[in-house]
Amino acid sequence: MTKQRPHISAVIPTWQGLRYLPACLSALRAQLGPDDEIILVDNASRDQAGAWAQRYAPDVRVVALPTNLGFAGGTNAGLAVARGELLLLINDDALAEPGCIAALWHALSEHPHAGAAAGVLTFSRHPKRIASAGITVRRDGVATDRHPGLPINALPAATQPIFGASGGLALLRRAMLDDIGPFEASFFNYLEDVDLAWRAQLRNWTCVLAPHARARHVYSATSGQGSPFKQRLLGRNRIRVLIRCLPTALLRECLPAILRYDLLAAAYALARRQPAIIAGRVEALRELPALRQQRQAIQARRTASINDLATWITPAPSPLSDLRIARQIQRLSAAT
């Protein structure tokens, strides 16, 4: 007997994403049931994305925000009004392929103790190449997409446990968010999904990859790959995640590799005249008193063992390997 799927609330934050919305919504409608809902959170878009949806997509529930709260705050606004037991997160520039939602639900139903199922994002004009197959965390403190640039057929056919799900395509259990809380709104954009994944793992909420749940994604469509804005937030939010989420034993063990990475990043920033890379880190260090308080509250609720958490931390590749991957992503995303 097939288990009945709970109701889904699909939450789509958008900012200047009107050009992608018709295709995104059409792909979702084809896969959702009559009792499911689509929530579009308009982050004060200048392209009037919310007004367009109210006029041309009356089945979509629009949450119009007076200011841009970024992915984190915008998604939280949608989650706050969502009615479903399952919460689908998908970017406005992602096109869910047929069977995507069914594959996400199948993965969660197979793993009743998992709090999230991650989908696979591919490059919009290279759908046979992986942009993200969930999140991986490294000894140098870097949290990054799994398998970027690899062919889609490199993924195993069966669901598999992974550290966490990218916010660009994920199915979450409401029970998990009730336990750990939503995204940290102050992150605005970038690594808020890593912070959420760490908080989930600390509370023994696992994540599984649904390899057949796929969506074509326009990579870094909102703020631009390699933009100073993105560099600053990545640098700032990296430090925030490490201070908030890594238990002391893991932080102590990884600290030499973390410091080495940040020193190399600072040297790269100076050599390439990209001060935003350093500015973001400095901004986070100025927040240390508040971050220590947040860390204390998060770590006090940890139920997972250090040994279990340590299994997710992978070795750090060489800087040259990182650069090669970054250049490959730039090539694959250039035409999207």
Side-chain angles (χ1 to χ4, degrees), residues 64 89 101 167 191 195 208 236 253 310:
L89 307 183
I101 295 175
L191 303 186
D195 182 88
V208 291
R236 182 195 68 182
E253 181 182 340

Side-chain angles (χ1 to χ4, degrees), residues 37 107 109 116 120 138 143 204 220 247 281 288 291 306 322:
E37 63 176 350
S109 64
V120 179
R138 307 183 336 197
N204 277 310
S220 286
R281 288 165 166 81
L288 274 176
L291 290 173
I306 295 297
D322 273 341

Side-chain angles (χ1 to χ4, degrees), residues 107-131:
L108 267 190
S109 64
E110 275 190 329
H111 298 82
H113 298 295
V120 179
L121 293 170
T122 62
F123 292 95
S124 62
R125 295 193 182 179
H126 299 277
K128 300 300 181 183
R129 292 282 176 173
I130 299 168

Side-chain angles (χ1 to χ4, degrees), residues 215-292:
R216 301 185 185 191
H217 180 228
V218 182
Y219 201 87
S220 286
T222 300
S223 55
Q225 175 72 0
S227 69
F229 175 78
K230 183 173 182 178
Q231 289 174 338
R232 180 179 67 84
L233 293 191
L234 282 172
R236 182 195 68 182
N237 293 348
R238 161 185 165 81
I239 303 300
R240 286 179 171 181
V241 170
L242 294 174
I243 294 174
R244 281 164 51 90
C245 296
L246 261 71
T248 300
L250 295 182
L251 187 57
R252 186 183 298 119
E253 181 182 340
C254 296
L255 191 58
I258 290 170
L259 293 176
R260 185 163 52 248
Y261 180 89
D262 282 299
L263 286 172
L264 286 172
Y268 177 86
L270 291 172
R272 298 297 297 269
R273 297 182 180 180
Q274 296 179 353
I277 293 174
I278 298 174
R281 288 165 166 81
V282 171
E283 184 179 344
L285 292 175
R286 288 173 177 163
E287 302 170 348
L288 274 176
L291 290 173
R292 287 195 188 103

Side-chain angles (χ1 to χ4, degrees), residues 52-134:
W52 174 88
Q54 288 174 331
R55 181 173 181 181
Y56 296 106
D59 59 318
V60 174
R61 191 176 178 190
V62 177
V63 177
L65 300 179
T67 58
N68 182 7
L69 301 183
F71 177 88
T75 301
N76 284 352
L79 294 173
V81 301
R83 296 187 289 261
E85 182 180 335
L86 299 176
L87 303 157
L88 175 70
L89 307 183
I90 186 166
N91 282 359
D92 58 2
D93 54 8
L95 184 67
E97 295 190 1
C100 174
I101 295 175
L104 286 168
W105 163 238
H106 178 71
L108 267 190
S109 64
E110 275 190 329
H111 298 82
H113 298 295
V120 179
L121 293 170
T122 62
F123 292 95
S124 62
R125 295 193 182 179
H126 299 277
K128 300 300 181 183
R129 292 282 176 173
I130 299 168
S132 174

